[in-house]
Amino acid sequence: MGLRRLLAICWIICHYRLDTLIPADKLPLRARLLLRFGPWRLFPRRHYSRGERLRCALENLGPIFIKFGQVLSTRRDLLPDDVSEELTKLQDQVPPFASELAVAAIETALGKPIAELFAAFDREALASASIAQVHTATLHNNIDVVVKVVRPGIERTIAADIRLLQTIAVLVQRYVPDGRRLRPVEVVEDYQHTIFDELDLQREGANTSQLKRNFKDSEVLYVPEVYWDYTRRNVLVMERIHGIPVTDLHTLREQGTDMKKLAERGVEIFFTQVFRDSFFHADMHPGNIFVAHDRPASPQYIAIDCAIIGSLSDFDQYYLARNLLAIFQRNYREVAELHVECGWVPPETRVHEFEAAIRSVSEPIFEKPLAEISFGQLLLYLFQTARRFDMEVQPSLVLLQKTLLNIEGLGRQLYPQLDLWSTAMPFLERWVRDRYSPQSMLKRVSHRLPGWLEQLPHLPETLLERGAPGKHNTAADELRHKNEVGLIIREQANRARNQRIAIIALISAALIADPGIRDGLRHLPDSSIVLFGVALYFFIRSR
């Protein structure tokens, strides 16, 4: 980092008196003396709140720190409410870089002059942010597109500022009270991954293509097309969309948009992405959402900027769905038990104390009419309560919480009477019911079965290799190893037999449960069905 940059950072820290945010009594003697007699004491205290001073400092430090502040604002489980609220006001409005640099970057990446690539190219930027800027263009087949270009040299700037943030994080973790609980080093690490992912526009293009496939021919969400022949790591070319910004309520109402349906479809899209696809757009702020023209009775969203995508494991999906349903039903005991069962809080947590803490947070909220309850805020309060019981913050859950807050806030802006509970609860109940239906279980088992069967013949060999005694072992040790391995092999054989029986039972249950299959079987001779069952049994047994 250059000396000029370091001096600029020091001046901003002094100017906004960020030293007052540091609790001096927790610092070592030398640090306390530096804090007490440092040059910042010469600067007058500004009559701003601590959140305002931090926000203004980040804005003056530049786009990388602004982006970090935006990410930090989503960690409401870690920051005080007043600081989080203030950081949400950070605006990533950055002057565009020279169009000559944009054209040069595009031509270098795609290996052709701009005139050969596009029939028309607007050298004036349509939009500009800290990482990249966007130009409009037209392909030679008359398709309108947008061209996103990464800022030249931005990686070096990011790398230097990340190193500074890492240094600050280590100091905060070491000297600030609750520093370990705030986990600043991990927060900076998460930010580093996020911002470097945003630099890779091919990744963003892949995310966009996947989201488009997930909602192919959907009436509720449209995702623009990616043109891969024109896309590289620092250049992304996509279909240009023409929609109404979701915040332009006047235009939406003027065209007669069904605002209630629009708000409910936003909730539907979110839960579909999270539970059906486990692939959700995690940057759903209003600037990335539009509404299609000329569909007022059946409004359709348009989503752009898929750089940040969230995903949940099957494990987290299941426990999250059950937690949400238990919250809907005000079953606080089950919420507490699920947190322990899935490992979100330590196993030694006293469930009755945790249950009481959850009840004390939730009951005052539930006294309000359902339409006035913020589901996202309730989830946030629950995470904050769990934090007191040493809950390990899951990055995927943080992204989900942030996205839910955005979606709910947007939905209430579109339709203030939105009852997110009545919209979400049937979806979750249906998801849990469908997930554990015989057909769904059979589908998951059949998907994993080839892998299991492929590994089964090698299992005894693997166990023998792992359990092989070393040269230093005694004869008694070797005999014990052999006995243990033999026992394991017998247990595995019994387990494999039980799995075969379970597979046959699942297939039978699916045949019984599915009306379409039953109708088809009626037209087959009994002998064919018997032969099929016998062949299936011996096939599974032979494997």
Side-chain angles (χ1 to χ4, degrees):
M1 184 187 300
L3 179 61
R4 182 181 297 178
R5 177 64 169 159
L6 187 60
L7 290 173
I9 290 170
C10 290
W11 186 88
I12 290 169
I13 290 172
C14 294
H15 184 69
Y16 289 102
R17 293 304 305 271
L18 297 187
D19 61 293
T20 58
L21 304 181
I22 303 172
D25 58 320
K26 302 294 182 180
L27 297 176
L29 178 60
R30 289 181 182 179
R32 287 204 304 272
L33 291 173
L34 177 63
L35 198 64
R36 184 173 182 82
F37 300 107
W40 34 80
R41 291 286 178 177
L42 302 175
F43 289 77
R45 284 186 181 235
R46 295 178 169 269
H47 299 292
Y48 297 150
S49 68
R50 58 182 180 176
E52 287 175 318
R53 283 185 283 126
L54 182 58
R55 173 178 60 79
C56 293
L58 292 173
E59 285 176 344
N60 280 270
L61 283 168
I64 306 307
F65 283 86
I66 290 173
K67 180 71 74 174
F68 179 66
Q70 291 171 341
V71 172
L72 201 60
S73 71
T74 67
R75 299 303 303 264
R76 291 173 178 251
D77 56 311
L78 303 179
L79 295 178
D81 288 342
D82 61 314
V83 175
S84 295
E85 288 296 331
E86 196 62 39
L87 293 184
T88 58
K89 300 176 184 177
L90 286 169
Q91 299 297 315
D92 197 4
Q93 302 295 331
V94 182
F97 57 88
S99 60
E100 291 78 14
L101 294 175
V103 169
I106 294 167
E107 291 181 338
T108 302
L110 300 180
K112 292 181 181 178
I114 206 81
E116 286 186 31
L117 294 167
F118 306 105
F121 181 86
D122 189 350
R123 291 175 177 265
E124 185 176 345
L126 177 68
S128 179
S130 56
I131 302 296
Q133 71 184 35
V134 175
H135 294 259
T136 59
T138 304
L139 300 178
H140 286 290
N141 57 4
N142 293 323
I143 295 176
D144 290 333
V145 295
V146 291
V147 185
K148 190 172 183 178
V149 192
V150 172
R151 285 179 174 270
I154 191 68
E155 289 193 38
R156 289 193 301 274
T157 305
I158 289 174
D161 284 345
I162 287 288
R163 285 195 295 271
L164 174 63
L165 287 170
Q166 287 169 335
T167 302
I168 295 171
V170 170
L171 295 174
V172 168
Q173 184 161 301
R174 185 175 299 172
Y175 296 118
V176 173
D178 287 342
R180 290 187 181 278
R181 180 182 60 75
L182 295 174
R183 296 160 67 182
V185 174
E186 291 183 32
V187 171
V188 172
E189 243 176 63
D190 287 345
Y191 170 64
Q192 181 178 355
H193 292 312
T194 299
I195 199 161
F196 277 112
D197 283 351
E198 286 193 59
L199 286 174
D200 187 352
L201 297 186
Q202 279 188 309
R203 176 190 288 266
E204 180 180 338
N207 291 340
T208 305
S209 294
Q210 180 65 56
L211 193 62
K212 186 174 182 65
R213 278 196 302 275
N214 291 348
F215 285 85
K216 185 180 179 182
D217 301 324
S218 169
E219 290 189 358
V220 298
L221 180 66
Y222 182 81
V223 181
E225 184 80 28
V226 175
Y227 294 98
W228 285 106
D229 289 343
Y230 302 88
T231 295
R232 300 293 184 273
R233 194 175 188 280
N234 63 331
V235 176
L236 172 64
V237 176
M238 295 171 51
E239 170 191 0
R240 185 178 183 184
I241 55 99
H242 298 278
I244 304 167
V246 75
T247 52
D248 189 354
L249 302 183
H250 174 73
T251 304
L252 290 172
R253 291 194 180 104
E254 199 173 52
Q255 74 163 9
T257 303
D258 186 335
M259 303 300 278
K260 180 175 184 291
K261 183 174 285 188
L262 182 64
E264 289 175 348
R265 283 188 167 182
V267 177
E268 178 190 339
I269 290 167
F270 170 74
F271 280 98
T272 301
Q273 289 182 59
V274 171
F275 289 103
R276 187 194 71 183
D277 305 326
S278 187
F279 189 88
F280 61 94
H281 193 311
D283 197 17
M284 294 288 280
H285 64 76
N288 289 338
I289 308 172
F290 296 82
V291 180
H293 286 285
D294 305 324
R295 299 188 55 168
S298 180
Q300 182 186 45
Y301 283 95
I302 304 171
I304 62 170
D305 195 354
C306 301
I308 304 175
I309 289 290
S311 182
L312 297 179
S313 65
D314 288 347
F315 179 86
D316 281 342
Q317 272 185 322
Y318 171 67
Y319 278 103
L320 181 65
R322 285 187 60 192
N323 265 287
L324 295 179
L325 283 173
I327 292 168
F328 282 139
Q329 297 157 0
R330 297 165 79 167
N331 186 346
Y332 308 123
R333 180 74 177 189
E334 185 174 356
V335 174
E337 289 173 346
L338 284 167
H339 272 70
V340 176
E341 188 179 333
C342 68
W344 290 347
V345 295
E348 63 271 13
T349 301
R350 295 182 178 179
V351 173
H352 66 281
E353 291 182 6
F354 190 23
E355 177 192 358
I358 293 170
R359 182 180 294 107
S360 66
V361 167
S362 304
E363 278 301 314
I365 294 174
F366 278 111
E367 291 304 312
K368 300 177 182 178
L370 284 179
E372 295 179 14
I373 295 175
S374 168
F375 187 33
Q377 286 293 338
L378 176 60
L379 201 62
L380 170 61
Y381 293 151
L382 287 173
F383 283 167
Q384 289 175 335
T385 302
R387 187 183 67 196
R388 287 167 31 209
F389 291 82
D390 296 325
M391 176 179 177
E392 288 290 324
V393 178
Q394 312 293 322
S396 56
L397 295 181
V398 170
L399 275 178
L400 181 135
Q401 171 195 299
K402 165 204 165 187
T403 308
L404 179 57
L405 284 167
N406 285 343
I407 290 295
E408 186 178 40
L410 176 62
R412 291 272 165 82
Q413 185 180 358
L414 295 171
Y415 184 71
Q417 295 79 32
L418 173 68
D419 184 352
L420 186 138
W421 302 79
S422 62
T423 308
M425 190 168 179
F427 185 98
L428 288 170
E429 288 175 333
R430 186 170 62 251
W431 182 83
V432 171
R433 184 175 62 249
D434 292 346
R435 181 175 175 81
Y436 293 98
S437 67
Q439 295 93 329
S440 178
M441 293 288 287
L442 176 61
K443 183 178 178 181
R444 292 206 299 278
V445 168
S446 62
H447 178 72
R448 294 175 179 269
L449 185 60
W452 293 342
L453 296 176
E454 183 66 30
Q455 294 171 22
L456 195 59
H458 304 289
L459 186 59
E461 195 175 307
T462 304
L463 290 171
L464 285 169
E465 287 176 0
R466 289 182 180 177
K471 292 181 181 179
H472 60 281
N473 287 10
T474 64
D477 290 333
E478 291 182 10
L479 180 62
R480 188 173 63 255
H481 276 296
K482 288 178 181 177
N483 290 336
E484 288 174 354
V485 169
L487 180 62
I488 290 171
I489 291 172
R490 285 195 298 275
E491 287 176 352
Q492 291 292 340
N494 290 335
R495 191 175 294 117
R497 184 190 63 216
N498 293 336
Q499 286 174 350
R500 291 196 295 268
I501 294 169
I503 291 166
I504 293 170
L506 283 169
I507 293 171
S508 302
L511 292 173
I512 293 168
D514 194 312
I517 295 177
R518 288 203 307 271
D519 291 341
L521 290 175
R522 289 195 187 101
H523 301 292
L524 291 175
D526 292 342
S527 58
S528 299
I529 297 172
V530 171
L531 285 172
F532 171 75
V534 171
L536 177 66
Y537 172 77
F538 281 107
F539 169 73
I540 293 174
R541 186 175 180 181
S542 69
R543 301 295 294 206

